[in-house]
Amino acid sequence: MTTQQLHEQILQKKSFLCVGLDPDLDKMPQHLLETEDPIFEFNKAIIDATHDLTVGYKPNTAFFEAYGIKGWMSLQKTINYINEKYPEIFTIADAKRGDIGNTSSMYAKAFFEDLNFDSVTVAPYMGKDSVEPFLAFENKHTIMLALTSNEGAFDFQTLTTNGTQGEAKELYKQVLETSKTWKNSENLMYVVGATKAEYFAEIRKIVPDSFLLVPGIGAQGGSLSEVCKYGMNDKIGLLVNSARAIIYASKGTDFAEKAREEALSVQKEMAFIIANK
């Protein structure tokens, strides 16, 4: 999927919502545990209930890998279901991979070729040769961690370093600027946490045209209006993720209906923001 196709979908649905699929057997409705594949059945119900309100789905691979081969099979069934029934929707493998050359190439093949995701999240700590193998895939997108929403982000990401010209600069800014020099960097998107809304204006000075994947709305307390105020560009340029607040809106048999209600509430706010942009 191209970024232009993603932008067109945003305008059509009046939404830049991305629903995180974080299936946890301890949290999902009990009646699903009686099915052959409760993880897939849970995901399928959420997808069917929200597909017209969202432009993306982001399965977090940890929530599948934790269940071994059965979990991985559930992931494969989930991505196949999205691609076959709702091919217009942007898919994100939230895997946070990142390793040296050959290993990154194999990770990229796994998510882009075997599973056929549109994008994958990566960690930039090992630098250019850990990210460029992902960027080599045409019409696939690499979503690099830039400034995350967790408390520990301040351990490293906001530390002041010496930039390429010797000037003092926060590490996350250095990461953003350096990544723009990598081969096929036009295939990059970036993770920026909603709980760091005050940083968006500075980030947009460095990557004005890139899509930003924004977790932290909902359960983590991020403000959608603040994110949009500082982070939205001329083509929207945001994918705002919400997981727990939507997928676990109910533990009853009405879980899919309640998930839709929560997604609809977010979509309506997004439609208002787009209309008044």
Side-chain angles (χ1 to χ4, degrees), residues 189-210:
M189 298 180 179
Y190 300 93
V191 176
V192 182
T195 55
K196 306 290 191 299
E198 65 273 20
Y199 291 90
F200 274 81
E202 290 298 306
I203 288 169
R204 277 303 186 202
K205 291 178 183 177
I206 304 170
V207 287
D209 302 320
S210 301

Side-chain angles (χ1 to χ4, degrees), residues 51-79:
H51 68 91
D52 59 321
L53 305 173
T54 181
V55 297
Y57 288 110
K58 183 178 72 65
N60 187 319
T61 62
F63 287 84
F64 298 85
E65 293 174 271
Y67 300 107
I69 187 64
K70 289 184 178 180
W72 197 260
M73 291 172 65
S74 298
L75 175 63
Q76 189 161 43
K77 288 167 67 176
T78 297
I79 184 61

Side-chain angles (χ1 to χ4, degrees), residues 102-119:
N102 288 339
T103 308
S104 277
S105 293
M106 292 301 156
Y107 280 139
K109 284 178 179 290
F111 291 108
F112 291 152
E113 292 185 351
D114 182 50
L115 292 172
N116 197 22
F117 275 93
D118 292 311
S119 64

Side-chain angles (χ1 to χ4, degrees), residues 135-252:
L135 297 175
F137 286 76
E138 187 176 1
N139 291 332
K140 299 291 186 178
H141 305 276
T142 302
I143 309 180
M144 200 172 76
L145 301 177
L147 187 61
T148 55
S149 58
N150 60 305
E151 182 181 349
F154 295 105
D155 289 347
F156 301 115
Q157 296 168 26
T158 57
L159 292 180
T160 299
T161 66
N162 289 324
T164 53
Q165 306 299 321
E167 73 280 22
K169 186 172 298 183
E170 293 96 327
L171 181 59
Y172 77 90
K173 292 183 180 179
Q174 186 66 45
V175 168
L176 289 168
E177 290 181 357
T178 300
S179 72
K180 291 171 64 178
T181 69
W182 296 343
K183 188 176 181 180
N184 299 316
S185 62
E186 65 274 9
N187 294 334
L188 278 170
M189 298 180 179
Y190 300 93
V191 176
V192 182
T195 55
K196 306 290 191 299
E198 65 273 20
Y199 291 90
F200 274 81
E202 290 298 306
I203 288 169
R204 277 303 186 202
K205 291 178 183 177
I206 304 170
V207 287
D209 302 320
S210 301
F211 264 92
L212 306 180
L213 173 62
V214 185
I217 292 292
Q220 294 185 53
S223 167
L224 178 60
S225 61
E226 287 293 295
V227 166
C228 293
K229 179 180 179 180
Y230 298 109
M232 189 175 281
N233 62 19
D234 290 341
K235 289 196 171 183
I236 310 300
L238 298 173
L239 289 171
V240 173
N241 184 76
S242 181
R244 285 171 288 172
I246 291 175
I247 67 174
Y248 296 124
S250 170
K251 290 190 69 173

